[in-house]
Amino acid sequence: RQRQMCIRDRKCGNGGSVMETRRARRREKKKQRMARQENIPCIVFLATDEESFELAEKKEDRQLRYINQYADAHGLIPMKIVRKSCFAPYVVNQMYSRCIDWMQQGKAEAILVANMEYLALDEEDAYRKVGQVRKAGFLIFSVDDGELKMNIRFRAEKERKIG
């Protein structure tokens, strides 16, 4: 306790205490982060692993509240909501492709999911879906993992040696 008092009482160069300047720096950094975040229109993709439509709908409603909190905190604006419900993987892939088409039409710039685990069948399918969105030039966010990226750089077509 005495040590904390010493730190608070110690003066720094600009006339304020050390603690006050730390707080001011933190506030400035927070303002800079908030200023960098643009309002990004996105498509919310709700997905669960439930078997019945009633349970899936309840879980997706809870998921939507969770996603909306994340969206508010990170400057994302939900423009459209897509529900997976209990559809088969083939239908889910069609819905996902339709989301990418909507983004190419200019209706959104990102896809927002709660957890990629419920949207993809396995890890390979998850990478494929992230790759589809990134290849189209858009963003994909997961509430659990943040922005999903594939940091793989390809050389231009002319530079690649085939054969």
Side-chain angles (χ1 to χ4, degrees):
R1 176 121 178 114
Q2 267 187 345
R3 185 175 181 130
Q4 286 179 336
M5 294 298 289
C6 292
I7 291 173
R8 285 186 186 148
D9 293 340
R10 195 179 320 153
K11 300 287 182 191
C12 62
N14 63 0
S17 72
V18 172
M19 292 300 279
E20 288 173 10
T21 54
R22 286 182 188 161
R23 284 187 193 125
R25 270 190 253 132
R26 274 191 231 125
R27 272 189 240 119
E28 275 302 313
K29 285 182 182 178
K30 187 174 181 180
K31 284 180 188 177
Q32 288 173 354
R33 278 194 309 257
M34 296 302 279
R36 267 187 265 143
Q37 291 179 349
E38 301 171 3
N39 291 331
I40 302 170
C42 64
I43 297 170
V44 175
F45 204 113
L46 302 175
T48 63
D49 58 353
E50 291 298 325
E51 298 291 325
S52 72
F53 282 102
E54 294 83 23
L55 288 174
E57 190 172 341
K58 284 181 185 178
K59 236 180 180 180
E60 285 175 352
D61 289 339
R62 274 187 261 138
Q63 202 177 68
L64 182 60
R65 278 183 267 146
Y66 176 58
I67 287 174
N68 281 332
Q69 289 175 349
Y70 180 85
D72 291 340
H74 292 86
L76 301 171
I77 303 169
M79 302 301 282
K80 199 168 201 64
I81 298 170
V82 178
R83 292 178 178 264
K84 174 189 167 208
S85 295
C86 297
F87 292 119
Y90 177 76
V91 178
V92 173
N93 289 340
Q94 286 181 330
M95 294 165 75
Y96 194 78
S97 295
R98 196 172 310 133
C99 289
I100 294 172
D101 291 340
W102 287 330
M103 289 191 299
Q104 288 172 338
Q105 293 170 10
K107 295 181 180 177
E109 295 176 19
I111 292 179
L112 177 58
V113 297
N115 189 337
M116 201 65 185
E117 176 183 345
Y118 299 127
L119 184 60
L121 293 172
D122 55 10
E123 193 172 353
E124 180 182 350
D125 190 33
Y127 277 107
R128 186 177 298 116
K129 287 181 174 161
V130 171
Q132 287 173 339
V133 172
R134 301 296 293 190
K135 183 179 179 185
F138 299 106
L139 304 171
I140 182 165
F141 293 93
S142 167
V143 174
D144 295 342
D145 302 319
E147 184 178 355
L148 301 175
K149 296 181 181 179
M150 295 177 64
N151 295 325
I152 302 170
R153 303 280 181 233
F154 288 101
R155 294 181 287 179
E157 295 274 337
K158 294 177 183 177
E159 294 177 18
R160 290 188 197 173
K161 294 181 181 177
I162 300 173

